Amino acid sequence: TLTFIANLLDPQRTPTTQKLLIDSLTVSAATSSLLSAQPSLTECLLAELRAVFTDLPATLAVPDLNSLWFVTPSATSQPDTTLAALIQRLLSGEPDTQPADNNRVLRYRTPHASTAFSQLPITEVQYRRFTARMQTLGAVYVEALKAYWASPAYNNGVTSASKQDVYAEHLASQLQTELRLLCADDTLPAASAAMLRQVLEYPAAAERQAGHPANPVKVLRVGIQNLRT
């Protein structure tokens, strides 16, 4: 940023270069909004809970995986199982040794000041159905993400490009902006600039391989962490 400001104010810079820098200040917020709107793992988990335990209140929130737990009042010697512990046990492949019990309840925290928690009686069928769904939670979440990125980017009543395509367009635009800025202030080596131009000209790996068979640039997909999970 300091280099950018210095170059913008440098009287030795030509008006054309300074105009290029000013024009490049235009930044779109579409990229961050697309990322922040993608479904979180918590949202996916809530959907699974409501699909099985249909009497849960619409206001139910899961601030963390320890705010909801399964209790068997008749089994005083058996510790309560938090949602976090249940998921961890299921994903580890550890067998569920809990006996069948139709007196189990689902206890959860409430936002009301008058009551710290509430509970919902659940059947053995519901409990087993939920544990079965939790074993495939990872695959369900991946499918939810795929559906989100494949959905139209704009709900304006006309055919729209997918969120994935729009996201790719914005990333390319940002990369072009970075390339112009770094070339304008002479901080980007020629070899690096050539690599970026190759990626912008040939977005697909097969295109880069065909266009530059001797030295195709390899691009890796970066994993994105959703800060809300």
Side-chain angles (χ1 to χ4, degrees):
T1 303
L2 292 176
T3 301
F4 175 86
I5 295 173
N7 282 325
L8 183 61
L9 300 178
D10 187 352
Q12 301 300 320
R13 290 286 177 179
T14 65
T16 301
T17 302
Q18 289 183 327
K19 184 178 186 304
L20 173 63
L21 292 169
I22 294 171
D23 291 343
S24 298
L25 284 172
T26 304
V27 178
S28 172
T31 301
S32 59
S33 64
L34 282 171
L35 290 176
S36 62
Q38 65 182 334
S40 69
L41 183 58
T42 300
E43 291 167 342
C44 187
L45 185 56
L46 270 172
E48 292 296 297
L49 281 165
R50 291 197 174 100
V52 177
F53 309 112
T54 55
D55 291 331
L56 283 171
T59 56
L60 175 68
V62 183
D64 60 73
L65 298 184
N66 290 313
S67 63
L68 186 149
W69 57 103
F70 297 88
V71 182
T72 307
S74 59
T76 55
S77 61
Q78 182 175 308
D80 300 343
T81 304
T82 65
L83 182 58
L86 176 64
I87 292 176
Q88 184 177 12
R89 187 179 72 230
L90 292 171
L91 295 182
S92 68
E94 181 182 340
D96 189 354
T97 57
Q98 292 190 3
D101 196 323
N102 275 311
N103 295 318
R104 193 179 280 113
V105 297
L106 179 60
R107 188 169 294 174
Y108 51 92
R109 292 198 178 115
T110 66
H112 308 294
S114 58
T115 55
F117 61 86
S118 186
Q119 62 186 32
L120 175 73
I122 60 175
T123 66
E124 180 66 17
V125 172
Q126 286 179 308
Y127 177 75
R128 296 301 171 184
R129 182 183 172 201
F130 180 71
T131 57
R133 293 175 77 107
M134 286 299 95
Q135 289 176 315
T136 61
L137 179 62
V140 170
Y141 181 49
V142 169
E143 290 304 314
L145 287 175
K146 287 181 178 179
Y148 169 79
W149 287 107
S151 64
Y154 309 107
N155 294 320
N156 52 9
V158 298
T159 303
S160 168
S162 69
K163 292 182 175 67
Q164 175 70 29
D165 292 339
V166 171
Y167 181 65
E169 290 174 5
H170 284 295
L171 284 182
S173 177
Q174 290 178 349
L175 189 57
Q176 288 171 340
T177 298
E178 290 290 329
L179 179 60
R180 294 171 67 197
L181 288 173
L182 293 174
C183 289
D185 64 9
D186 299 324
T187 58
L188 185 66
S192 298
M195 291 176 64
L196 292 177
R197 290 192 179 96
Q198 183 186 138
V199 172
L200 288 169
E201 186 177 359
Y202 303 102
E207 295 174 347
R208 291 193 296 276
Q209 181 66 47
H212 298 267
N215 190 26
V217 175
K218 184 177 182 181
V219 179
L220 301 180
R221 180 180 293 273
V222 179
I224 298 172
Q225 179 182 10
N226 189 329
L227 297 180
R228 295 184 296 165
T229 62

